[in-house]
Amino acid sequence: LLCLPLFVCLTEVNGQDIKQIPQSLLLQEGDNFTTYCNSSRTLNSIQWYKQRPGGSPVLLISVVKSGAVKQKKLTAWFGETRKDSFLHVVATQTADAGTYFCTEA
């Protein structure tokens, strides 16, 4: 997938037991977005990454216990059952364009 400025791609990278929704978002500068990961099994922890076209994945935030972790304009939440998570990004800018994905740490 080619991600143009403010086009957010979302992908699953670590197998069939974690599903991520939605698949992609087309945003305008200043928009907020949320992406979700759901697993068929209990996870130890969850990590959210962003990858720019042609770049390496960059760790955005890691959650090791149920609850929310807030970091600047990012909020990551890990459910009590440890099977679901979401990443919320506020006030997107061009630099936020890229591919976002979750993985088990």
Side-chain angles (χ1 to χ4, degrees):
L1 287 174
L2 174 63
C3 295
L4 302 172
L6 290 187
F7 188 76
V8 175
C9 300
L10 309 162
T11 186
E12 54 186 282
V13 295
N14 71 324
Q16 301 169 356
D17 59 342
I18 295 182
K19 293 186 179 178
Q20 188 166 342
I21 53 174
Q23 291 292 316
S24 63
L25 295 169
L26 185 58
L27 303 168
Q28 295 183 353
E29 200 161 337
D31 285 352
N32 302 338
F33 78 87
T34 304
T35 178
Y36 301 87
C37 275
N38 294 39
S39 174
S40 58
R41 62 183 177 81
T42 302
L43 304 173
N44 293 318
S45 60
I46 198 92
Q47 291 181 332
W48 286 95
Y49 288 85
K50 180 179 84 169
Q51 186 170 11
R52 301 273 293 171
S56 298
V58 175
L59 177 63
L60 297 174
I61 200 162
S62 180
V63 188
V64 296
K65 60 182 181 179
S66 59
V69 174
K70 200 165 186 176
Q71 190 174 314
K72 296 184 181 177
K73 57 190 225 167
L74 305 175
T75 301
W77 176 85
F78 196 20
E80 283 187 31
T81 61
R82 302 173 75 86
K83 291 184 177 183
D84 56 333
S85 178
F86 73 72
L87 176 71
H88 184 67
V89 182
V90 299
T92 57
Q93 299 173 345
T94 304
D96 295 317
T99 299
Y100 289 76
F101 59 90
C102 64
T103 185
E104 183 177 20

XYZ file of all heavy atoms in Angstrom:
817
model
N 0.834 -1.195 0.000
C 0.000 0.000 0.000
C 0.872 1.250 0.000
O 1.831 1.330 0.749
C -0.886 0.041 1.246
C -2.050 -0.924 1.311
C -2.711 -0.830 2.680
C -3.049 -0.675 0.228
N 0.522 2.196 -0.810
C 1.224 3.469 -0.836
C 0.423 4.451 -0.003
O -0.765 4.644 -0.235
C 1.337 3.983 -2.272
C 1.936 5.377 -2.439
C 3.372 5.390 -1.937
C 1.892 5.792 -3.894
N 1.050 5.026 0.984
C 0.364 5.982 1.859
C 0.786 7.384 1.502
O 1.943 7.751 1.670
C 0.697 5.691 3.323
S 0.068 4.117 3.861
N -0.133 8.151 1.018
C 0.117 9.546 0.682
C -0.119 10.396 1.918
O -0.649 9.914 2.913
C -0.818 9.967 -0.462
C -0.665 9.111 -1.726
C -1.745 9.459 -2.727
C 0.705 9.287 -2.345
N 0.272 11.666 1.893
C 0.069 12.502 3.078
C -1.365 12.419 3.610
O -2.330 12.539 2.862
C 0.389 13.908 2.569
C 1.399 13.666 1.498
C 0.957 12.380 0.835
N -1.441 12.159 4.880
C -2.682 12.025 5.625
C -3.536 10.855 5.165
O -4.714 10.801 5.440
C -3.482 13.321 5.610
C -2.846 14.431 6.434
C -3.757 15.620 6.521
C -2.466 13.972 7.817
N -2.911 9.905 4.461
C -3.598 8.639 4.214
C -3.018 7.651 5.209
O -1.819 7.401 5.214
C -3.377 8.147 2.788
C -4.219 6.948 2.456
C -5.566 7.090 2.202
C -3.662 5.687 2.420
C -6.348 5.981 1.903
C -4.437 4.576 2.117
C -5.778 4.723 1.850
N -3.840 7.139 6.066
C -3.383 6.234 7.113
C -3.726 4.813 6.706
O -4.891 4.488 6.476
C -4.047 6.581 8.465
C -3.668 5.562 9.517
C -3.636 7.981 8.899
N -2.715 3.995 6.558
C -2.920 2.584 6.249
C -2.818 1.796 7.542
O -1.987 2.097 8.382
C -1.852 2.087 5.278
S -1.841 2.950 3.711
N -3.623 0.778 7.644
C -3.630 -0.040 8.844
C -3.460 -1.481 8.413
O -4.128 -1.938 7.498
C -4.954 0.153 9.590
C -5.299 1.627 9.818
C -6.757 1.803 10.134
C -4.442 2.217 10.909
N -2.572 -2.181 9.048
C -2.293 -3.540 8.602
C -2.022 -4.453 9.778
O -1.604 -3.996 10.837
C -1.095 -3.556 7.631
O -0.934 -4.870 7.117
C 0.190 -3.130 8.294
N -2.263 -5.723 9.595
C -1.900 -6.697 10.623
C -0.636 -7.400 10.173
O -0.464 -7.704 9.003
C -3.027 -7.687 10.881
C -3.539 -8.409 9.674
C -4.741 -9.259 9.993
O -4.559 -10.346 10.544
O -5.852 -8.827 9.675
N 0.296 -7.595 11.092
C 1.591 -8.127 10.701
C 1.998 -9.400 11.427
O 2.937 -10.044 11.018
C 2.717 -7.089 10.921
C 2.520 -5.905 10.020
C 2.800 -6.668 12.361
N 1.283 -9.762 12.477
C 1.814 -10.884 13.248
C 0.860 -12.070 13.295
O 0.650 -12.678 14.299
C 2.227 -10.454 14.657
C 1.034 -10.131 15.525
O 0.056 -9.588 15.043
N 1.118 -10.458 16.792
N 0.282 -12.374 12.154
C -0.464 -13.614 12.082
C -1.960 -13.449 12.037
O -2.485 -12.344 12.065
N -2.625 -14.583 11.980
C -4.057 -14.591 11.750
C -4.863 -14.431 13.027
O -6.072 -14.316 12.957
C -4.431 -15.910 11.070
C -3.714 -16.108 9.755
C -3.883 -17.516 9.225
O -4.472 -18.364 9.884
N -3.357 -17.765 8.044
N -4.212 -14.433 14.182
C -4.984 -14.367 15.420
C -5.238 -12.939 15.886
O -5.930 -12.725 16.863
C -4.309 -15.178 16.528
C -2.906 -14.714 16.832
O -2.328 -14.009 15.988
O -2.394 -15.039 17.906
N -4.681 -11.945 15.208
C -4.963 -10.551 15.530
C -5.544 -9.881 14.296
O -4.943 -9.916 13.226
C -3.710 -9.787 15.995
C -3.198 -10.361 17.309
C -4.013 -8.302 16.162
C -1.995 -9.647 17.871
N -6.726 -9.291 14.451
C -7.357 -8.582 13.347
C -7.402 -7.104 13.665
O -7.643 -6.708 14.803
C -8.777 -9.115 13.114
C -8.790 -10.538 12.610
C -10.183 -10.987 12.263
C -10.146 -12.419 11.742
N -11.475 -12.923 11.433
N -7.170 -6.296 12.654
C -7.151 -4.855 12.836
C -8.200 -4.213 11.951
O -8.362 -4.583 10.787
C -5.770 -4.307 12.496
C -5.606 -2.842 12.852
C -4.156 -2.417 12.837
O -3.263 -3.245 12.887
N -3.931 -1.130 12.771
N -8.948 -3.258 12.506
C -9.941 -2.523 11.739
C -9.831 -1.037 12.052
O -9.409 -0.678 13.162
C -11.382 -3.021 12.052
C -11.641 -3.010 13.561
C -11.660 -4.371 11.461
C -13.036 -3.329 13.965
N -10.148 -0.156 11.138
C -10.476 -0.416 9.738
C -9.210 -0.687 8.923
O -8.103 -0.592 9.464
C -11.133 0.892 9.293
C -10.441 1.932 10.115
C -10.160 1.267 11.442
N -9.366 -0.976 7.626
C -8.218 -1.273 6.779
C -7.450 -0.010 6.394
O -6.238 -0.022 6.294
C -8.682 -1.990 5.503
C -9.197 -3.395 5.776
C -8.100 -4.343 6.234
O -7.019 -4.351 5.676
N -8.379 -5.104 7.266
N -8.161 1.066 6.130
C -7.480 2.317 5.770
C -8.394 3.498 6.047
O -9.607 3.346 6.158
C -7.072 2.310 4.289
O -8.218 2.250 3.474
N -7.780 4.651 6.172
C -8.507 5.882 6.442
C -7.914 6.992 5.592
O -6.694 7.088 5.447
C -8.360 6.300 7.912
C -8.960 5.403 8.981
C -8.470 5.843 10.350
C -10.470 5.481 8.921
N -8.765 7.819 5.038
C -8.322 9.013 4.334
C -8.717 10.195 5.207
O -9.896 10.414 5.467
C -8.976 9.104 2.955
C -8.512 10.256 2.071
C -7.003 10.183 1.846
C -9.241 10.239 0.753
N -7.722 10.929 5.693
C -7.958 11.979 6.682
C -7.558 13.341 6.154
O -6.720 13.454 5.262
C -7.127 11.700 7.942
C -7.353 10.355 8.623
C -6.274 10.126 9.656
C -8.715 10.301 9.249
N -8.134 14.352 6.750
C -7.694 15.722 6.520
C -6.887 16.161 7.731
O -7.066 15.639 8.833
C -8.890 16.653 6.319
C -9.687 16.349 5.073
C -10.822 17.335 4.885
O -11.087 18.169 5.742
N -11.500 17.228 3.770
N -6.009 17.108 7.518
C -5.198 17.616 8.618
C -6.108 18.104 9.738
O -7.112 18.772 9.501
C -4.297 18.754 8.130
C -3.125 18.990 9.039
C -2.008 19.764 8.358
O -1.924 19.747 7.133
O -1.228 20.386 9.097
N -5.763 17.716 10.958
C -6.557 18.104 12.118
C -7.572 17.064 12.552
O -8.150 17.174 13.632
N -7.796 16.036 11.712
C -8.736 14.983 12.074
C -8.176 14.106 13.188
O -6.968 14.027 13.385
C -9.034 14.081 10.869
C -9.966 14.723 9.855
O -10.515 15.804 10.147
O -10.131 14.138 8.771
N -9.072 13.419 13.877
C -8.704 12.379 14.841
C -9.001 11.031 14.205
O -9.881 10.927 13.354
C -9.523 12.510 16.121
C -9.365 13.852 16.786
O -8.391 14.563 16.578
N -10.334 14.227 17.597
N -8.282 9.999 14.621
C -8.658 8.657 14.174
C -8.367 7.627 15.252
O -7.544 7.832 16.136
C -7.976 8.278 12.848
C -6.536 7.860 12.951
C -6.185 6.538 13.208
C -5.515 8.790 12.767
C -4.863 6.159 13.285
C -4.192 8.417 12.841
C -3.862 7.094 13.101
N -9.097 6.516 15.149
C -8.924 5.404 16.070
C -8.837 4.115 15.261
O -9.604 3.920 14.322
C -10.106 5.296 17.045
O -10.262 6.545 17.735
C -9.882 4.193 18.071
N -7.902 3.263 15.608
C -7.797 1.947 15.001
C -7.817 0.896 16.113
O -7.362 1.153 17.222
C -6.519 1.817 14.136
O -6.445 0.482 13.612
C -5.257 2.102 14.912
N -8.381 -0.245 15.802
C -8.606 -1.290 16.799
C -7.893 -2.582 16.415
O -7.794 -2.912 15.237
C -10.107 -1.603 16.908
C -10.949 -0.427 17.287
C -11.428 0.434 16.312
C -11.270 -0.172 18.614
C -12.200 1.537 16.644
C -12.049 0.920 18.957
C -12.520 1.768 17.973
O -13.281 2.855 18.305
N -7.444 -3.324 17.405
C -6.923 -4.674 17.223
C -7.702 -5.612 18.137
O -7.906 -5.304 19.306
C -5.447 -4.752 17.596
S -4.348 -4.280 16.273
N -8.116 -6.743 17.582
C -8.805 -7.768 18.356
C -8.087 -9.081 18.145
O -7.734 -9.427 17.022
C -10.260 -7.908 17.904
C -11.062 -6.669 18.213
O -10.567 -5.575 18.072
N -12.301 -6.843 18.610
N -7.901 -9.832 19.215
C -7.200 -11.104 19.154
C -8.125 -12.239 19.575
O -9.010 -12.049 20.410
C -5.982 -11.077 20.077
O -5.371 -12.337 20.140
N -7.899 -13.409 19.022
C -8.671 -14.584 19.411
C -8.116 -15.216 20.682
O -8.728 -16.107 21.252
C -8.652 -15.614 18.276
O -7.321 -15.968 17.969
N -6.957 -14.736 21.129
C -6.356 -15.298 22.338
C -5.888 -14.163 23.248
O -5.767 -13.017 22.825
C -5.184 -16.212 21.988
C -4.066 -15.509 21.279
C -2.940 -16.458 20.887
N -1.908 -15.769 20.156
C -0.940 -15.037 20.690
N -0.865 -14.885 21.997
N -0.051 -14.448 19.934
N -5.586 -14.479 24.491
C -5.102 -13.500 25.459
C -3.668 -13.111 25.122
O -2.827 -13.966 24.848
C -5.167 -14.083 26.882
O -6.518 -14.460 27.151
C -4.708 -13.065 27.911
N -3.396 -11.814 25.117
C -2.071 -11.298 24.785
C -1.329 -10.882 26.046
O -1.944 -10.447 27.025
C -2.206 -10.086 23.851
C -2.978 -10.312 22.552
C -3.169 -8.991 21.821
C -2.270 -11.319 21.673
N -0.016 -10.997 26.022
C 0.796 -10.555 27.159
C 0.882 -9.039 27.219
O 0.837 -8.444 28.288
C 2.206 -11.140 27.065
C 2.202 -12.641 27.246
O 1.504 -13.158 28.103
N 2.956 -13.338 26.428
N 1.029 -8.416 26.076
C 1.108 -6.960 25.978
C 0.858 -6.598 24.524
O 0.795 -7.466 23.657
C 2.485 -6.460 26.429
O 3.494 -7.021 25.620
N 0.713 -5.312 24.285
C 0.451 -4.858 22.913
C 1.366 -3.681 22.598
O 1.638 -2.849 23.466
C -1.042 -4.492 22.723
C -1.421 -4.451 21.255
C -1.406 -3.201 23.392
C -1.955 -5.741 20.734
N 1.861 -3.657 21.377
C 2.681 -2.541 20.914
C 2.076 -1.995 19.629
O 1.617 -2.762 18.776
C 4.119 -2.986 20.652
C 4.871 -3.336 21.906
C 6.310 -3.745 21.644
O 6.638 -4.259 20.585
N 7.168 -3.512 22.615
N 2.098 -0.678 19.515
C 1.606 0.001 18.317
C 2.782 0.653 17.599
O 3.597 1.321 18.224
C 0.568 1.057 18.695
C -0.747 0.468 19.076
C -1.182 0.171 20.333
C -1.794 0.092 18.185
N -2.446 -0.365 20.284
C -2.843 -0.423 18.973
C -1.957 0.151 16.796
C -4.033 -0.873 18.418
C -3.143 -0.305 16.246
C -4.169 -0.804 17.052
N 2.838 0.435 16.301
C 3.916 0.958 15.469
C 3.367 1.808 14.336
O 2.212 1.644 13.921
C 4.701 -0.193 14.821
C 5.574 -0.974 15.759
C 5.061 -2.023 16.503
C 6.932 -0.682 15.881
C 5.869 -2.764 17.361
C 7.743 -1.419 16.733
C 7.200 -2.455 17.465
O 8.002 -3.182 18.303
N 4.229 2.670 13.822
C 3.940 3.405 12.592
C 5.113 3.215 11.658
O 6.270 3.249 12.083
C 3.744 4.897 12.863
C 3.451 5.684 11.579
C 3.228 7.153 11.856
C 4.557 7.862 11.915
N 4.417 9.323 11.934
N 4.799 3.020 10.380
C 5.847 2.875 9.369
C 5.554 3.813 8.208
O 4.479 3.772 7.628
C 5.920 1.423 8.875
C 7.075 1.169 7.939
C 7.265 -0.316 7.675
O 6.419 -1.144 8.016
N 8.376 -0.672 7.065
N 6.516 4.674 7.916
C 6.401 5.581 6.765
C 6.821 4.823 5.512
O 7.623 3.890 5.589
C 7.296 6.803 6.960
C 7.003 7.623 8.204
C 5.965 8.663 8.021
N 6.431 9.705 7.115
C 5.642 10.658 6.653
N 4.386 10.710 7.010
N 6.101 11.568 5.837
N 6.305 5.193 4.344
C 6.705 4.517 3.110
C 8.226 4.502 2.951
O 8.879 5.538 3.072
C 6.048 5.358 2.015
C 4.869 5.982 2.695
C 5.310 6.244 4.109
N 8.795 3.321 2.760
C 10.238 3.185 2.585
C 11.033 3.221 3.873
O 12.255 3.095 3.856
N 10.351 3.368 5.001
C 11.049 3.471 6.282
C 10.891 2.219 7.116
O 10.193 1.278 6.752
N 11.542 2.219 8.259
C 11.433 1.121 9.208
C 10.308 1.399 10.195
O 9.983 2.558 10.457
C 12.743 0.968 9.986
O 13.797 0.663 9.118
N 9.713 0.352 10.773
C 8.681 0.568 11.792
C 9.238 1.323 12.996
O 10.363 1.082 13.422
C 8.270 -0.852 12.187
C 8.692 -1.711 11.052
C 9.923 -1.072 10.491
N 8.439 2.231 13.521
C 8.804 3.014 14.704
C 7.789 2.716 15.795
O 6.577 2.835 15.578
C 8.812 4.527 14.384
C 9.060 5.340 15.648
C 9.844 4.849 13.321
N 8.282 2.308 16.962
C 7.395 2.032 18.089
C 6.785 3.337 18.586
O 7.495 4.283 18.926
C 8.171 1.352 19.221
C 7.397 1.071 20.505
C 6.241 0.098 20.265
C 8.331 0.551 21.587
N 5.466 3.372 18.618
C 4.761 4.556 19.108
C 4.459 4.446 20.586
O 4.655 5.390 21.347
C 3.440 4.733 18.346
C 3.528 4.996 16.853
C 2.132 4.992 16.251
C 4.234 6.316 16.591
N 3.941 3.299 20.976
C 3.481 3.152 22.351
C 3.345 1.662 22.681
O 3.008 0.869 21.812
C 2.134 3.910 22.534
C 1.828 4.213 23.986
C 0.999 3.236 21.827
C 0.788 5.309 24.156
N 3.637 1.331 23.925
C 3.551 -0.057 24.381
C 2.672 -0.102 25.630
O 2.792 0.754 26.504
C 4.959 -0.582 24.699
O 4.905 -1.914 25.129
N 1.790 -1.099 25.687
C 0.900 -1.243 26.838
C 1.082 -2.658 27.388
O 0.883 -3.627 26.667
C -0.573 -1.000 26.451
C -1.446 -0.955 27.692
C -0.727 0.280 25.651
N 1.476 -2.745 28.647
C 1.796 -4.048 29.228
C 0.756 -4.543 30.234
O 0.837 -5.666 30.692
C 3.190 -4.032 29.897
C 4.269 -3.789 28.868
C 3.256 -2.998 30.999
N -0.215 -3.705 30.567
C -1.295 -4.146 31.448
C -2.586 -3.481 30.996
O -2.557 -2.492 30.255
C -0.995 -3.823 32.907
C -0.808 -2.362 33.201
C -0.474 -2.144 34.666
C -0.320 -0.666 34.964
N -0.020 -0.413 36.362
N -3.710 -4.036 31.417
C -4.985 -3.487 30.976
C -5.133 -2.045 31.450
O -4.637 -1.662 32.503
C -6.143 -4.350 31.472
O -6.143 -4.419 32.873
N -5.801 -1.249 30.619
C -5.975 0.164 30.905
C -5.435 1.006 29.771
O -5.079 0.504 28.711
N -5.371 2.308 30.018
C -4.962 3.261 28.983
C -3.592 3.855 29.280
O -3.230 4.045 30.436
C -5.990 4.377 28.868
N -2.856 4.116 28.223
C -1.576 4.824 28.306
C -1.673 6.015 27.368
O -2.004 5.861 26.194
C -0.397 3.914 27.895
C 0.896 4.711 27.843
C -0.263 2.741 28.842
N -1.394 7.196 27.907
C -1.484 8.415 27.110
C -0.086 8.978 26.917
O 0.710 9.002 27.856
C -2.390 9.430 27.803
C -2.914 10.493 26.888
C -4.072 11.223 27.539
C -4.667 12.182 26.517
N -5.851 12.862 27.011
N 0.182 9.435 25.699
C 1.505 9.955 25.374
C 1.337 11.036 24.314
O 1.049 10.726 23.159
C 2.360 8.803 24.846
C 3.812 9.106 24.689
C 4.560 7.833 24.304
O 4.360 6.786 24.882
N 5.406 7.942 23.313
N 1.467 12.282 24.709
C 1.258 13.425 23.818
C -0.102 13.303 23.138
O -1.119 13.319 23.806
C 2.401 13.565 22.821
C 3.724 13.879 23.497
C 4.829 14.115 22.506
C 6.132 14.391 23.241
N 7.254 14.560 22.334
N -0.151 13.152 21.827
C -1.436 13.096 21.144
C -1.915 11.681 20.852
O -2.858 11.465 20.115
C -1.400 13.921 19.859
C -0.335 13.548 18.880
C -0.270 14.596 17.787
C -0.178 13.962 16.433
N -0.406 14.920 15.381
N -1.275 10.697 21.479
C -1.648 9.294 21.322
C -2.256 8.751 22.608
O -1.793 9.071 23.696
C -0.425 8.432 21.001
C 0.438 8.788 19.811
C 1.647 7.874 19.769
C -0.354 8.667 18.530
N -3.271 7.930 22.454
C -3.791 7.168 23.583
C -3.926 5.727 23.128
O -4.525 5.449 22.083
C -5.167 7.677 24.043
O -5.055 9.055 24.407
C -5.675 6.887 25.239
N -3.347 4.793 23.884
C -3.496 3.367 23.616
C -4.213 2.750 24.799
O -3.939 3.086 25.944
C -2.142 2.710 23.403
N -5.114 1.858 24.498
C -5.898 1.193 25.529
C -5.807 -0.308 25.312
O -5.832 -0.790 24.177
C -7.340 1.662 25.445
C -8.287 0.979 26.388
C -8.525 1.313 27.687
C -9.123 -0.137 26.093
N -9.470 0.462 28.224
C -9.847 -0.442 27.261
C -9.329 -0.913 24.960
C -10.758 -1.480 27.329
C -10.227 -1.957 25.019
C -10.934 -2.231 26.201
N -5.690 -1.055 26.410
C -5.598 -2.512 26.386
C -6.716 -3.038 27.278
O -6.800 -2.685 28.455
C -4.226 -2.934 26.908
C -3.800 -4.343 26.608
C -4.375 -5.080 25.598
C -2.782 -4.919 27.339
C -3.963 -6.368 25.317
C -2.351 -6.213 27.077
C -2.950 -6.941 26.060
N -7.598 -3.856 26.733
C -8.784 -4.316 27.447
C -8.485 -5.238 28.616
O -7.420 -5.855 28.693
N -9.450 -5.344 29.509
C -9.296 -6.185 30.696
C -9.103 -7.652 30.340
O -8.415 -8.389 31.045
C -10.513 -6.030 31.613
C -10.502 -4.744 32.411
C -11.631 -4.700 33.436
O -12.024 -5.776 33.938
O -12.103 -3.602 33.720
N -9.714 -8.089 29.257
C -9.566 -9.485 28.834
C -8.231 -9.706 28.107
O -7.884 -10.844 27.802
C -10.702 -9.893 27.881
O -10.647 -9.073 26.714
C -12.051 -9.752 28.558
N -7.517 -8.607 27.817
C -6.224 -8.638 27.126
C -6.333 -9.264 25.740
O -5.418 -9.892 25.237
C -5.180 -9.362 27.981
C -5.004 -8.711 29.351
C -4.109 -9.511 30.258
N -2.717 -9.384 29.875
C -1.891 -8.417 30.271
N -2.336 -7.469 31.072
N -0.659 -8.394 29.884
N -7.496 -9.039 25.118
C -7.710 -9.528 23.757
C -7.991 -8.405 22.772
O -8.106 -8.649 21.579
C -8.889 -10.517 23.727
C -8.592 -11.821 24.434
C -9.746 -12.781 24.283
C -9.417 -14.117 24.925
N -10.486 -15.106 24.743
N -8.121 -7.191 23.269
C -8.426 -6.080 22.376
C -7.686 -4.826 22.808
O -7.344 -4.637 23.966
C -9.934 -5.825 22.292
C -10.575 -5.585 23.651
O -10.043 -6.097 24.652
O -11.590 -4.887 23.714
N -7.442 -3.972 21.815
C -6.710 -2.740 22.055
C -7.140 -1.710 21.019
O -7.607 -2.070 19.934
C -5.199 -2.988 21.937
O -4.471 -1.786 22.132
N -6.994 -0.440 21.369
C -7.162 0.585 20.352
C -6.075 1.633 20.495
O -5.471 1.801 21.557
C -8.562 1.216 20.365
C -8.860 2.152 21.508
C -8.287 3.415 21.595
C -9.757 1.785 22.491
C -8.572 4.274 22.635
C -10.055 2.639 23.545
C -9.464 3.886 23.609
N -5.813 2.302 19.387
C -4.902 3.440 19.352
C -5.688 4.622 18.830
O -6.329 4.535 17.771
C -3.719 3.161 18.421
C -2.749 4.332 18.238
C -1.941 4.572 19.519
C -1.813 4.079 17.063
N -5.671 5.721 19.581
C -6.378 6.948 19.188
C -5.354 8.047 18.982
O -4.498 8.276 19.839
C -7.382 7.337 20.272
C -8.219 8.522 19.922
N -9.153 8.503 18.914
C -8.246 9.774 20.441
C -9.728 9.705 18.827
N -9.189 10.478 19.747
N -5.434 8.701 17.840
C -4.516 9.795 17.500
C -5.354 11.045 17.267
O -6.335 11.009 16.506
C -3.694 9.469 16.226
C -2.712 10.585 15.921
C -2.953 8.139 16.393
N -4.985 12.144 17.911
C -5.736 13.388 17.766
C -4.949 14.393 16.937
O -3.721 14.349 16.881
C -6.098 14.004 19.138
C -6.966 13.055 19.942
C -4.862 14.380 19.927
N -5.691 15.276 16.288
C -5.123 16.406 15.545
C -4.005 15.970 14.591
O -2.868 16.402 14.702
C -4.628 17.474 16.511
N -4.361 15.099 13.648
C -3.354 14.575 12.722
C -2.710 15.676 11.895
O -3.329 16.689 11.580
C -3.968 13.538 11.772
O -5.053 14.137 11.070
C -4.435 12.314 12.517
N -1.454 15.435 11.573
C -0.686 16.318 10.697
C -0.083 15.459 9.601
O -0.123 14.230 9.661
C 0.414 17.026 11.494
C -0.132 17.896 12.613
C 0.972 18.446 13.501
O 2.108 17.978 13.467
N 0.635 19.428 14.307
N 0.510 16.090 8.599
C 1.109 15.358 7.491
C 2.100 14.313 7.990
O 2.177 13.202 7.453
C 1.800 16.336 6.516
O 0.837 17.292 6.086
C 2.353 15.609 5.309
N 2.841 14.620 9.038
C 3.835 13.696 9.580
C 3.213 12.425 10.153
O 3.908 11.435 10.369
C 4.659 14.389 10.658
N 1.904 12.437 10.385
C 1.231 11.257 10.938
C 0.839 10.245 9.869
O 0.386 9.150 10.191
C -0.025 11.681 11.710
C 0.312 12.516 12.930
O 1.266 12.152 13.630
O -0.377 13.519 13.174
N 1.002 10.581 8.607
C 0.659 9.653 7.539
C 1.582 8.449 7.587
O 2.761 8.567 7.922
C 0.773 10.344 6.184
N 1.056 7.287 7.273
C 1.863 6.080 7.269
C 1.013 4.865 7.534
O -0.210 4.918 7.521
N 1.663 3.753 7.768
C 1.004 2.496 8.075
C 1.105 2.237 9.571
O 2.202 2.247 10.125
C 1.661 1.339 7.297
O 1.527 1.590 5.901
C 1.009 0.008 7.632
N -0.036 2.046 10.202
C -0.102 1.788 11.639
C -0.440 0.323 11.851
O -1.319 -0.210 11.180
C -1.163 2.657 12.290
C -0.798 4.114 12.353
C -0.864 4.917 11.213
C -0.379 4.701 13.533
C -0.520 6.245 11.254
C -0.037 6.031 13.588
C -0.096 6.791 12.449
O 0.257 8.121 12.487
N 0.210 -0.314 12.798
C -0.123 -1.704 13.077
C 0.181 -2.049 14.529
O 0.983 -1.413 15.198
C 0.607 -2.668 12.132
C 2.112 -2.592 12.159
C 2.848 -3.376 13.031
C 2.776 -1.742 11.294
C 4.225 -3.302 13.044
C 4.161 -1.674 11.299
C 4.889 -2.456 12.180
N -0.511 -3.083 15.002
C -0.307 -3.566 16.352
C 0.375 -4.919 16.293
O 0.281 -5.651 15.294
C -1.628 -3.687 17.076
S -2.738 -4.897 16.344
N 1.074 -5.247 17.346
C 1.690 -6.548 17.469
C 1.826 -6.893 18.945
O 1.823 -6.004 19.790
C 3.073 -6.577 16.764
O 3.610 -7.893 16.810
C 4.037 -5.621 17.414
N 1.921 -8.163 19.227
C 2.157 -8.571 20.607
C 3.630 -8.415 20.910
O 4.490 -8.795 20.110
C 1.728 -10.023 20.817
C 1.885 -10.462 22.259
C 1.388 -11.876 22.495
O 1.278 -12.633 21.521
O 1.137 -12.213 23.662
N 3.929 -7.827 22.047
C 5.331 -7.591 22.413
C 5.999 -8.885 22.825
O 5.363 -9.795 23.293
C 5.405 -6.579 23.552
